[in-house]
Amino acid sequence: MSVLRLFTGRTASAPVARERLQILLAHERSLRGQPDLLMQLREEILAVVSRHVVLDPDKVIVRMDRGKHVSTLEVDIELPSGADRAFASAG
Amino acid sequence: MAKVLVVTSGKGGVGKTTTTAAMGAALAQAGEKVVVVDFDVGLRNLDLVLGAERRVVFDLINVVHGVAKLPQALIRDKRLENLWLLPASQTKDKDALTEDGVGRVIHELRKTFDWVICDSPAGIERGAMLAMRYADEAIIVTNPEVSSVRDSDRIIGMLDSKTVRAENGERVEKHILITRYDAGRAARGEMLSIDDVLEILATPLLGIVPESQDVLRASNVGCPVTLNSPASAPARAYHDAMRRLLGEEVEMQIPVERKGLMNLLLGRRAA
């Protein structure tokens, strides 16, 4: 702390830098590796459903949405025509 | 047992090449057999910092492609008989490096040297990925400044996931080296403190290298700072870092500002 700062009233900027970094990095770390996780989820879901129904792998979409309060995982699988009857007879 | 050490940072201009040269020279001075490998294809500079720019004949890419044998491409330092350089290519494309090719070269170097130090290019592209790919240990060069710390954090994440060691469930031993540290600015609260950086990155500290004219002077004449001005503050910091890397306990010296009464009153940086 210098005498000059007492007069100019200028405050240290390092604490601001530190706080901004901590918030930013917490966010970035939480996102890190996520595409891989989604890809893995997609593969596993595809494998499970394929055991029962023949699927077009391109018609399986797994999406993650991050909200402030609620995050959602959306799984969208398009069944080929005729597959719904297989489900109905099994149920 | 040979060790592969990557010097990396994400951000450019923080002191990777300076650190590679200084640490390589310090280890060689301590009797270790060292090769420094430049991975910055197209923008090589390690040869220049080491004063070997006029002795480059073959390079890493020539060896990867089988155009030259490893011993033909290695350049022995004229001052330190234990220090060798494997330069990068200045003309080739960075895609000329392949993972298998780099793996073969590193495997060969491990047989001859105690330390294989890989000088990473900036960024997180192919060159940087390949520089860290086979590492056992990593020095993450960080300036106490927001963008450098953020990039270091990103690089730490990659060291923990994209290296051969990580994929085998092993750890790459990581060390933070803080460079261009300005004690005066830190004291005035204008620069992230050492503690801030370490707390945010949660990685052990290898050393603190102060901002210094000696580093620039060493680059100008093409001589690692540990050789060019061994008594200078940055040279001593690198020397201590080298001893810690070898497993010695060395007390951490935090650089302090030397300034006169007038500067102290005005909060001004000593010239």
Side-chain angles (χ1 to χ4, degrees):
Chain A
M1 179 61 100
S2 71
V3 178
L4 191 67
R5 191 180 296 145
L6 286 178
F7 292 122
T8 60
R10 200 170 54 152
T11 53
S13 56
V16 181
R18 173 199 160 98
E19 199 184 321
R20 289 178 58 222
L21 263 177
Q22 279 174 328
I23 293 167
L24 175 71
L25 292 181
H27 176 68
E28 287 187 346
R29 284 170 191 158
S30 74
L31 293 179
R32 197 176 289 160
Q34 210 173 59
D36 293 338
L37 174 68
L38 280 188
M39 197 54 82
Q40 202 180 340
L41 259 177
R42 190 181 166 281
E43 293 300 317
E44 289 181 19
I45 290 168
L46 182 63
V48 170
V49 182
S50 295
R51 261 188 254 153
H52 306 282
V53 192
V54 181
L55 280 181
D56 178 355
D58 292 336
K59 301 280 169 65
V60 179
I61 297 161
V62 178
R63 209 174 1 230
M64 180 91 162
D65 264 326
R66 293 188 154 260
K68 206 165 186 181
H69 303 292
V70 183
S71 296
T72 57
L73 180 68
E74 183 185 337
V75 182
D76 186 348
I77 305 175
E78 192 181 314
L79 295 174
S81 55
D84 50 339
R85 263 172 278 142
F87 276 105
S89 62
Chain B
M1 185 65 184
K3 276 202 174 150
V4 178
L5 170 74
V6 61
V7 178
T8 185
S9 69
K11 192 177 186 306
V14 295
K16 284 183 294 297
T17 300
T18 301
T19 295
T20 303
M23 292 298 286
L27 281 164
Q29 284 171 291
E32 301 281 307
K33 198 171 175 193
V34 184
V35 60
V36 288
V37 186
D38 194 344
F39 273 80
D40 205 345
V41 177
L43 291 170
R44 77 169 176 224
N45 273 320
L46 191 52
D47 55 335
L48 195 56
V49 171
L50 283 171
E53 70 277 11
R54 294 180 356 159
R55 298 170 63 206
V56 175
V57 181
F58 294 112
D59 55 56
L60 173 62
I61 291 190
N62 294 143
V63 179
V64 165
H65 288 181
V67 174
K69 295 236 182 301
L70 193 50
Q72 292 177 291
L74 287 171
I75 301 168
R76 190 177 209 160
D77 190 90
K78 288 200 164 159
R79 300 146 299 207
L80 296 169
E81 61 168 12
N82 271 350
L83 181 64
W84 301 71
L85 163 70
L86 181 54
S89 167
Q90 184 68 335
T91 52
K92 305 273 191 340
D93 192 72
K94 64 183 189 308
D95 295 329
L97 283 179
T98 61
E99 188 179 327
D100 288 348
V102 170
R104 280 196 304 275
V105 173
I106 299 273
H107 180 77
E108 279 299 304
L109 292 172
R110 273 184 193 272
K111 291 180 192 165
T112 327
F113 293 95
D114 299 315
W115 291 89
V116 180
I117 308 182
C118 304
D119 184 20
S120 175
I124 51 170
E125 305 300 321
R126 189 180 185 80
M129 297 301 302
L130 287 174
M132 71 166 65
R133 183 72 189 149
Y134 300 94
D136 303 309
E137 298 197 30
I139 293 179
I140 301 124
V141 182
T142 307
N143 295 166
E145 170 267 327
V146 283
S147 54
S148 175
V149 173
R150 180 197 207 175
D151 292 358
S152 292
D153 191 71
R154 183 86 193 273
I155 285 290
I156 288 170
M158 294 170 80
L159 286 164
D160 288 339
S161 62
K162 311 271 189 201
T163 53
V164 170
R165 271 185 167 249
E167 286 172 8
N168 291 337
E170 297 168 310
R171 270 166 34 87
V172 171
E173 202 174 321
K174 303 182 294 290
H175 315 270
I176 298 288
L177 185 76
I178 294 179
T179 56
R180 315 193 73 163
Y181 181 78
D182 184 330
R185 291 182 56 213
R188 292 193 299 277
E190 291 168 5
M191 192 174 71
L192 287 167
S193 71
I194 305 285
D195 287 343
D196 288 344
V197 176
L198 296 182
E199 191 192 323
I200 291 168
L201 295 177
T203 302
L205 180 65
L206 187 67
I208 307 158
V209 182
E211 173 87 69
S212 163
Q213 291 297 314
D214 294 298
V215 173
L216 184 63
R217 215 171 289 134
S219 294
N220 284 346
V221 298
C223 181
V225 69
T226 40
L227 266 183
N228 198 49
S229 38
S232 67
R236 280 184 280 122
Y238 277 121
H239 189 261
D240 285 356
M242 176 273 294
R243 288 171 59 201
R244 291 183 196 107
L245 201 62
L246 290 175
E248 286 181 49
E249 294 258 341
V250 185
E251 199 189 339
M252 193 67 68
Q253 302 283 342
I254 295 178
V256 287
E257 190 185 28
R258 278 169 297 179
K259 55 184 183 179
L261 181 64
M262 208 51 207
N263 284 332
L264 200 71
L265 280 171
L266 295 171
R268 204 163 54 189
R269 190 179 152 195

